[in-house]
């Protein structure tokens, strides 16, 4: 048997993708698991090589990586590379966002992007700005960045602009403001596996001059004004 011929066979890659409004759990060839958030895509080889476990990500995912000290687990996402041996962490790397965020729950990860390097320990997060190519590291409440995988949507004094961005991905809808000033209005609420209407009803309850209307099954208009 020609072993070299076997080694040079073309590696088949698998791509798993979630549409807006959808989430999924994927098991990788090494037994590691990935929870893929809405509007995200992950690509990985059908079989990992003997030296590396390499995958690429667009969007957001939570990883539970099986420990293997001899075979690093490497994620490429928007010019940022995350390398681990075995750990649990979250990567948020949507192509339409300026920032890429890596948040560590357990273990240790190393980050490399555009010549910048960082090591993360639990309860730390790095934010890589794709425009200025800088990495910023900070302490965070990790659970706030992992709640999405358990069906929790949290808004803490978030502008409606940012809240709507999350809601659109989460429920696969389009939301428009009749009055652009509404987008700067702030909104607080925590929702677990709630229907979209529940969130909208909460919004109009706490912002009494704000109303919403479904103009079609997937399109909502928010009207009114906001005093805070």
């Amino acid at each position: 048997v020609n072993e070299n011929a076997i080694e040079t066979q073309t590696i088949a890659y698998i791509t798993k993708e979630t549409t807006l409004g959808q989430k999924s759990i994927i098991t990788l060839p090494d037994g590691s698991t990935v929870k893929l958030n809405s509007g995200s895509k992950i690509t990985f080889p059908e079989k990992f090589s003997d030296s590396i476990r390499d995958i690429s990500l667009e969007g957001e995912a939570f990883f539970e990586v099986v420990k293997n000290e001899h075979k690093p687990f490497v994620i490429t996402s928007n010019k940022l590379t995350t390398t681990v041996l075995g750990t649990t962490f979250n990567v948020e790397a949507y192509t339409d966002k300026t920032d890429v965020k890596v948040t560590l729950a357990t273990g240790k990860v190393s980050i490399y992007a555009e010549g910048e390097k960082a090591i993360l320990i639990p309860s730390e997060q790095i934010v890589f700005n794709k425009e200025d190519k800088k990495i910023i590291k900070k302490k965070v409440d990790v659970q706030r960045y992992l709640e999405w995988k358990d069906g929790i949507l949290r808004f803490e004094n978030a502008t409606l602009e940012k809240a709507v961005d999350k809601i659109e991905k989460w429920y696969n809808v389009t939301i428009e403001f009749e009055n652009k000033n509404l987008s700067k209005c702030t909104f607080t609420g925590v929702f677990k596996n709630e229907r979209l209407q529940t969130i909208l009803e909460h919004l109009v309850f706490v912002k009494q001059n704000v109303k919403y209307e479904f103009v079609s099954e997937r399109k909502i208009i928010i009207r009114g004004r906001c005093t805070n």
Side-chain angles (χ1 to χ4, degrees):
V1 177
N2 185 338
E3 292 184 0
N4 290 330
I6 294 170
E7 287 298 315
T8 56
Q9 282 179 352
T10 305
I11 297 169
Y13 278 82
I14 297 166
T15 295
K16 299 285 188 180
E17 198 163 355
T18 51
T19 58
L20 296 179
Q22 177 192 31
K23 297 177 182 65
S24 69
I25 299 175
I26 296 147
T27 302
L28 299 177
D30 65 337
S32 297
T33 58
V34 183
K35 290 188 178 178
L36 203 58
N37 205 346
S38 301
S40 301
K41 181 167 74 173
I42 189 171
T43 302
F44 55 92
E46 203 168 41
K47 181 179 184 298
F48 288 131
S49 75
D50 291 338
S51 57
I52 194 168
R53 295 173 282 172
D54 58 320
I55 70 166
S56 64
L57 169 72
E58 289 177 24
E60 183 168 21
F62 176 77
F63 294 88
E64 296 185 65
V65 177
V66 171
K67 193 174 181 71
N68 185 338
E69 293 182 359
H70 306 293
K71 196 185 289 192
F73 189 96
V74 180
I75 301 158
T76 305
S77 45
N78 279 342
K79 298 184 179 178
L80 182 138
T81 303
T82 305
T83 304
V84 306
L85 297 175
T87 181
T88 56
F89 60 102
N90 196 76
V91 179
E92 184 183 341
Y94 285 102
T95 51
D96 61 344
K97 294 284 189 297
T98 305
D99 289 338
V100 179
K101 296 176 183 174
V102 180
T103 311
L104 184 62
T106 63
K108 186 168 79 171
V109 306
S110 63
I111 308 291
Y112 180 83
E114 301 281 357
E116 296 277 301
K117 292 182 181 178
I119 300 286
L120 280 187
I121 60 172
S123 297
E124 287 186 339
Q125 178 187 78
I126 68 98
V127 179
F128 170 65
N129 185 294
K130 291 185 282 186
E131 290 179 355
D132 68 18
K133 298 179 171 45
K134 295 289 185 222
I135 287 180
I136 295 170
K137 185 163 72 169
K138 57 187 178 180
K139 285 256 183 212
V140 294
D141 179 355
V142 170
Q143 283 312 116
R144 297 290 163 90
Y145 293 90
L146 307 184
E147 287 175 332
W148 68 264
K149 70 187 176 63
D150 299 316
I152 296 172
L153 259 180
R154 178 185 296 270
F155 306 106
E156 288 188 348
N157 223 22
T159 63
L160 276 188
E161 185 176 34
K162 288 191 174 177
V164 157
D165 182 61
K166 271 191 179 180
I167 291 168
E168 286 182 327
K169 284 189 173 76
W170 199 274
Y171 294 99
N172 188 20
V173 293
T174 301
I175 301 176
E176 293 180 0
F177 299 108
E178 186 178 63
N179 169 5
K180 292 294 181 192
N181 290 335
L182 273 171
S183 65
K184 304 305 175 193
C185 181
T186 56
F187 173 53
T188 295
V190 181
F191 308 92
K192 183 167 184 177
N193 295 322
E194 290 287 4
R195 293 163 62 244
L196 173 58
Q197 283 85 344
T198 305
I199 297 176
L200 295 171
E201 287 296 333
H202 176 83
L203 170 63
V204 300
F205 177 75
V206 296
K207 304 292 181 186
Q208 295 183 2
N209 291 319
V210 174
K211 298 286 179 269
Y212 73 89
E213 179 189 349
F214 276 85
V215 292
S216 71
E217 187 185 356
R218 297 262 169 224
K219 185 173 179 180
I220 301 146
I221 301 254
I222 295 180
R223 298 190 166 95
R225 59 188 179 82
C226 208
T227 52
N228 58 350

